[in-house]
Amino acid sequence: MAIVKDSGFKALEKLKSTEPPVFLAPSSISEVARAASQHIFEKLKPYNPKSPFDELLVDGFDAEQIWQQIDMQSQPLLSSLRQEVNRFAKNPEEIRKLGNLALKVSHEDDVDEMDMDGHDSGDDELEANESEGEEKDEEEEEDGDEEEDGDEEDEEEKDGDNEGIEDKFFKIKELEEFLEDGEAEEYGIDYKNNKGVAKRKKQNLRDEEDDDDEEDDDEEEDDEFGAFAGGDDEEADKLGKAKYTDFFGGKKKETKVKWKDLSEDDEAERENQGNEKLSTHEKERLKVQSKIEQMEKTNLDPKHWTMQGEITAAKRPKNSALEVDLDFEHNARPAPVITEEVTASLEDLIKSRIIEARFDDVQRAPSMPTKAKREAKEMDESKSKKGLAEVYEDEYVRTANPAFAPTTFSDELKKEASMLFKNLCLKLDALSHFHFTPKPVIEEMSIQTNVPAIAMEEVAPVAVSDAAMLAPEEIFSGKGDIKDESELTQEERKRRRAKKKRKFKAESAKEPVKKARDATTVAGSEVL
Amino acid sequence: MAESTQMEVETATQTAPLPAKPTFKPLKAHEMSDGKVQFRKISVPPNRYSPLKKAWLDIYTPIYDQMKVDIRMNLKARKVELKTRADTPDISNLQKSADFVHAFMLGFDIPDAISLLRMDELYVESFEIKDVKTLKGEHLSRAIGRLSGKGGKTKFAIENSTKTRIVIADTRIHILGAFTNIKVARSSLCSLIMGSPAGKVYSKLRSVSARLNE
């Protein structure tokens, strides 16, 4: 251990002695730094019984990995230290005991502690915000490279005991007081009473040069944590009676910025204080009230432009319509998104159409059936063989006496065409040996229901027709003159009745057996 | 039955029978002019002299036999003279004959000119190219060429479609035919003179002539 200690100590010494720029470039200093951090790690190990590492492993490890090991060691340490500080807060006398102990122990590792201490205090001095300082302290303590930077600077500062920084305008102690006051406002806890303890603590720590410099720092930090943690019963009463002047010695100190914070913090303070005494109902009521106030405030303010009804471009901020999701009717169908599937489907369709040869070509609409097209006279560009007189003569004859009219060129063409067609028909008939067989008439039986024709024929009737599918003869085949009930004359009615009776009698005569029994019974009843 | 009253017939012995209604035959040509004979004299241009000699008999026969008009050629004066006879049925015969001969002199063929004799409604119209448009030198030659077409096909096309006969004599144009037909032919010729291409004229002709022939 001693050997190791010595080497570690030497390493520290060496680090301390090197110039700061050396740390910027990778060099052999890293070995030294690792040795130093190992030494420190060992120092702390006794206070960390649960740590998984017996020693800091540095061979072949990355800076990140070394740091992780250090971090693992320090985390539990922090919590334990916190507890210690709380304990000390409750029982200030124990600190004195500890302080005496520390004095004894410190002699062994003077320089080291000094370094650490100076480093720590230097850190405190450098960093105004002590909550942040916690993390940075750890970093700078445990990372060997950065350590030396701090060490050198801090030693100087420490030696001077704030001579370098402080002057008539800036006092460290006043700064600390100010910070504590601020925290008291925020968190509503008056630990001015603790200040004395803190001060004492700090003085003790500084003067005594503790063995555990980390503990020192942690204690200081935990001091604040303790403050954050909230009031003891003793303090509660004091808080209840706290007044403005308790926090702020006078109105001169405050700046304008502070005012706002103060007012808000006052309210927050009172709320915080009140929350402890109010019932849940009252708490909820307070919440609701605050909500109501906020809503009322928003209602009074001018509305957002989207809620103002008709808005012109001049009345709304520039390009604000782009940010809002506007919803309006698109009259045009949105352009189809061209995806691969769409193109593939189109191409398939095209291919199938080509294979089928089913092109949707535009077909000429059939012209209306009119009278036969007039024979268009051809423009004859040769000298006419007939004289003008003959031309008129022919025309006259054609109109007056068509039979005798000489044939025109078109007539001759027609003649020729008809001759050709006759020849063709002759040849075709010869193929079937001149036996003409007409198409066979296949008589199909189809049931025709007496449904209105309209239902069978058209889907969308242009005109409604009452005609039925079947002809009236098919519906009813009756003979003679069919008359309606009302149209019958008296004689006809008589005739009809007589006919019915005859029919009935004929039927009854056919079946005498069945009806005999009934007849007798009826007869019997009638008699009676 | 009652006695039918008889009309008293007065035997008019005193009154003489009325004279028969006079029946007058239509006046003959020379009678109309109080027995005077009417003449027509048609001068013969030098270019038509030899064609006249060739076709003399074709001219003479229909005029003398059918029109019943006397015709003779005055060689010295280079004129064809026509005279009514006693049996010329109608005074218009003379005029028709004169028109017929005149048409021949203009340049029409005998069969075409004969139609003048046979039909009443046919006329001859003449106009010059310069009436339509003032053309000089090459333009004039080109216009004439346009009118006739290649091998005369444009002229024949117009003739056939409008049932007219056209004679293009240098800068003069003569059209023989019915009144409406003449109009159509004239308009197409004028458009040709003005410079429209033959195809355009054909298309117009086609539509118009179809309407004409209905």
Side-chain angles (χ1 to χ4, degrees), chain B residues 16-132:
Chain B
L18 284 165
K21 255 187 182 175
T23 52
F24 295 114
K25 281 185 192 163
L27 278 173
K28 288 206 187 105
H30 73 278
E31 282 165 3
M32 211 187 304
S33 53
D34 298 328
K36 281 184 191 166
V37 176
Q38 292 199 3
F39 290 96
R40 295 281 188 274
K41 286 187 180 126
I42 301 113
S43 58
V44 182
N47 60 327
R48 293 306 278 166
Y49 197 68
S50 46
L52 178 67
K53 272 208 277 197
K54 277 189 201 149
W56 174 251
L57 218 58
D58 293 328
I59 296 168
Y60 178 85
T61 324
I63 289 176
Y64 191 81
D65 292 334
Q66 272 125 42
M67 292 284 118
K68 301 213 187 335
V69 170
D70 277 342
I71 178 169
R72 77 167 184 197
M73 176 73 193
N74 188 344
L75 287 160
K76 238 190 221 161
R78 300 270 171 126
K79 285 189 203 248
V80 174
E81 288 167 4
L82 297 159
K83 189 175 76 124
T84 55
R85 288 208 300 261
D87 58 344
T88 314
D90 200 8
I91 194 69
S92 59
N93 284 11
L94 180 66
Q95 190 56 48
K96 276 187 193 175
S97 316
D99 289 335
F100 164 61
V101 175
H102 182 67
F104 180 79
M105 296 310 154
L106 288 175
F108 290 101
D109 288 336
I110 294 294
D112 299 332
I114 289 260
S115 62
L116 275 168
L117 285 178
R118 292 172 75 171
M119 288 178 75
D120 288 335
E121 300 87 25
L122 300 179
Y123 303 96
V124 176
E125 190 182 316
S126 319
F127 64 95
E128 284 197 50
I129 289 175
K130 70 177 184 218
D131 296 341
V132 181

Side-chain angles (χ1 to χ4, degrees), chain A residues 353-416:
Chain A
R353 282 296 189 95
I354 290 166
I355 289 161
E356 287 173 36
R358 185 163 75 96
F359 311 112
D360 294 332
D361 290 336
V362 177
Q363 282 160 356
R364 182 169 281 279
S367 60
M368 293 296 290
T370 54
K371 58 186 176 182
K373 204 177 166 187
R374 212 184 315 130
E375 288 174 16
K377 272 191 187 173
E378 261 184 43
M379 185 83 70
D380 194 12
E381 284 180 345
S382 60
K383 188 180 168 90
S384 69
K385 286 147 197 137
K386 293 189 254 181
L388 195 64
E390 271 128 42
V391 168
Y392 279 110
E393 185 188 324
D394 290 338
E395 208 182 298
Y396 173 75
V397 167
R398 202 174 296 123
T399 51
N401 216 346
F404 291 110
T407 55
T408 56
F409 181 66
S410 59
D411 293 337
E412 275 157 29
L413 280 173
K414 281 179 193 171
K415 265 188 191 170
E416 198 185 335

Side-chain angles (χ1 to χ4, degrees), chain A residues 241-251 254 259 262 266:
Chain A
K241 294 171 188 172
K243 287 187 184 173
Y244 180 77
T245 49
D246 290 337
F247 293 97
F248 312 106
K251 289 184 188 176
E254 290 125 17
W259 250 118
L262 287 173
D266 270 350

Side-chain angles (χ1 to χ4, degrees), chain B residues 133-184:
Chain B
K133 190 173 184 183
T134 325
L135 296 165
K136 283 181 238 173
E138 291 239 350
H139 304 297
L140 187 61
S141 322
R142 268 199 290 270
I144 295 166
R146 250 198 323 276
L147 284 170
S148 343
K150 200 174 203 171
K153 65 176 187 166
T154 317
K155 186 173 84 107
F156 292 137
I158 299 171
E159 281 181 2
N160 291 330
S161 52
T162 58
K163 287 204 277 279
T164 55
R165 292 289 176 264
I166 298 169
V167 165
I168 301 174
D170 224 5
T171 53
R172 278 180 211 273
I173 299 163
H174 312 284
I175 309 170
L176 166 71
F179 180 68
T180 47
N181 296 359
I182 284 170
K183 260 210 306 193
V184 173

Side-chain angles (χ1 to χ4, degrees), chain A residues 271-291:
Chain A
E271 270 182 19
N272 286 338
Q273 290 163 16
N275 278 343
E276 294 159 13
K277 290 188 179 172
L278 290 175
S279 64
T280 47
H281 168 70
E282 282 176 336
K283 281 182 197 168
E284 275 179 42
R285 241 191 72 222
L286 280 173
K287 279 186 199 168
V288 167
Q289 267 183 0
S290 65
K291 269 189 195 172

